[in-house]
Amino acid sequence: FDAVEQARVEAIEAVDVRARVQGVLEDIAFTAGERVEAGDILFRIERDQFEAGVASAHAQAARATANLTEAQAALERTRELHQRGTAAQAALDAAVAAHAMAEAEVASSKAAVRRAEIDLGYTEIRAAIAGRIASSVSIVMSPTRSMRALFNCAASRTGSGASSRPSSGSPPLNFDSSSAGWVAVHRTMV
């Protein structure tokens, strides 16, 4: 006679994936049943406002650099006049302070450029782990809301046969949103 055995397969790895910037969901780059690898793009958020942010940050950095050039020239002129005895110490002190502020403005604007570039990069939400998306998808979207939390991702692996149960007891892959009504998706990766 044939023996029948029952088994249950559960994900051995779970990862929370969240959008790091707010924006309008532009694209869902996967389908049910598709295998995704770590690093694959899952979602795209509209990039326009983030590209504009990068351009604006670069413009501010250029302005800060120009201000530093002007402050450097003013400091050199004031030092020369001070050495000749035609500029007061207070004028030299003010020129030194203006130069230091311009240097700080350049450093701050460089950081703003870097932050804008990072935010632009966050418009592509990528898979943190590999797995196969197996169940159906339901998405509810409202274009007036911003997407925040995206999903909890889980994957099972073949080979050793080892498995572990998710500690939360929740389905392996849950899309949810902290902005009510924006995105609600449920999937399972096996």
Side-chain angles (χ1 to χ4, degrees), residues 60-61 63-69 71-72 95-113:
Q60 291 173 358
R63 181 176 47 207
T65 301
N67 287 342
L68 177 59
T69 300
Q72 180 66 40
V96 168
H99 183 265
M101 287 189 296
E103 284 180 327
E105 184 182 341
V106 167
S108 177
S109 66
K110 285 180 181 179
V113 166

Side-chain angles (χ1 to χ4, degrees), residues 66-120:
N67 287 342
L68 177 59
T69 300
E70 181 183 18
Q72 180 66 40
L75 176 59
E76 289 171 7
R77 281 191 306 272
T78 306
R79 274 193 180 136
E80 185 179 315
L81 293 173
H82 184 264
Q83 288 173 352
R84 291 184 194 167
T86 58
Q89 182 64 42
L92 179 59
D93 293 344
V96 168
H99 183 265
M101 287 189 296
E103 284 180 327
E105 184 182 341
V106 167
S108 177
S109 66
K110 285 180 181 179
V113 166
R114 180 68 183 128
R115 176 61 189 188
E117 291 170 344
I118 288 170
D119 285 349
L120 177 61

